[in-house]
Every structure is written in C-alpha cells, then in structure tokens.
Amino acid sequence: MDDLQAQQTGDSNGTLTHFDASGQAHMVGVGAKLETHRMARACGEIRMLPATLQLIEAGNHKKGDVLGIARIAGIMGAKRTPDLIPLCHSIALTRVTVDFRIDSGSSSVRCEATAETVGRTGVEMEALTAVQVALLTIYDMCKAVDRGMVMTGIKLVEKVGGKSGHWRAE
C-alpha cells in the first residue's frame, strides 16, 4: 500500500493523514472504509469562583438554566463540527449526549459528551466540539460575574469503531 492509499483508507502508519504526498492539506478519502458503529467520548471542565458555581447550582442565574442551555449548545456544536473544522467530514450523527457534573470542592463543572454514528469515519471531533461549545456557553452565560473562569482538560477519553477498534485514554 503506498502513502496515498494509506492516507485515503486511514491506515496512516504514523503519518499525518490530512496531508498528501506533496505536503498539501486535503480531506481524507473514506470511500473505501467500511460502515461501522462509531462512538467517541470526550470531557473537559470549567473552573470558576465558588459564588459563580452557586448561581449555576441554584438555577438563579438571570440568563436562565445555564447547564440546560449549555447542553443544547454542545449538541448543536457537535452537529456543526464540519462547519468549524475545515477538513472534517459531514457525518449523520445518530446520537449526541452532553452531561455535566458539578464539583463544589474544585468549584468546577465537568462536561462529558458522547457522539455516535454508523458510518465510514469517526466522531472524535464531534465529541470534542460538543464539550468545548458547552463549556464556552457556560463561560458566555457567566462572564458578567466571573471573567476569570478557566476551561481545561479537554480531551478524548474513548473511541469505538472503525479499523482501529476500541481506544481508551489511560
């Protein structure tokens, strides 16, 4: 298999798949790949002042249900990933979930997003985008009371499907 075939099938052997043999950026060809169930899970968190977290927990933020709106934003973000990341394929998502866990001890909100499809390419970027958009929405809704919030730890934690099979972060 030559480098171009490897890139088109996703068998990268340690090479960057979004560049052709001459180093030009291109969209990876996925036509030869099998359709399989694919799932990706990503997470991240946003740290804030304890008073800001209390507003979110109590649901008295003047802009409304912060986590409810952030959940919808994360789902929308996953659906719009190819509009934001230039070389991502448009994917027919079959499921996107966005969940939050409040940690009063660290004054943070942890977000976990899962994206699923049955297709020829993975949904890692959709899960990561969902997390980031959800956290950005929390920031946007709370910035009037806490401009020092920090988003951190955004990462892929698991992916299932495709030629590479099951992968989990250590």
Side-chain angles (χ1 to χ4, degrees):
M1 178 180 298
D2 67 19
D3 285 345
L4 184 57
Q5 285 175 314
Q7 289 172 5
Q8 290 175 336
T9 61
D11 182 13
S12 64
N13 296 321
T15 62
L16 296 174
T17 59
H18 284 91
F19 295 96
D20 64 18
S22 63
Q24 300 296 310
H26 73 106
M27 187 178 224
V28 175
V30 297
K33 289 184 174 185
L34 296 175
E35 285 196 352
T36 63
H37 173 257
R38 295 164 184 267
M39 181 279 298
R41 201 165 40 90
C43 70
E45 71 177 22
I46 185 166
R47 294 186 204 138
M48 62 196 68
L49 295 171
T52 308
L53 187 62
Q54 288 172 358
L55 281 174
I56 292 171
E57 283 183 289
N60 338 344
H61 194 288
K62 68 180 182 178
K63 289 189 177 182
D65 176 8
V66 173
L67 298 183
I69 294 167
R71 178 175 291 108
I72 297 300
I75 292 167
M76 290 174 64
K79 292 166 60 174
R80 300 298 299 250
T81 299
D83 294 334
L84 300 169
I85 311 297
L87 299 177
C88 279
H89 291 85
S90 295
I91 295 175
L93 294 167
T94 56
R95 182 171 180 242
V96 176
T97 63
V98 177
D99 297 303
F100 300 101
R101 189 183 81 231
I102 293 175
D103 184 344
S104 299
S106 65
S107 193
S108 65
V109 176
R110 179 178 169 86
C111 177
E112 182 173 289
T114 302
E116 294 184 48
T117 192
V118 175
R120 297 172 188 241
T121 190
V123 288
E124 296 92 342
M125 295 306 298
E126 287 73 12
L128 286 161
T129 301
V131 167
Q132 190 65 70
V133 170
L135 296 177
L136 284 167
T137 300
I138 293 170
Y139 186 95
D140 180 53
M141 294 188 72
C142 298
K143 70 182 183 273
V145 296
D146 187 356
R147 293 200 189 282
M149 291 175 282
V150 175
M151 290 165 271
T152 185
I154 296 143
K155 63 183 180 178
L156 183 68
V157 293
E158 183 178 22
K159 69 129 283 352
V160 174
K163 188 174 179 180
S164 62
H166 190 186
W167 175 88
R168 184 173 276 156
E170 296 181 14

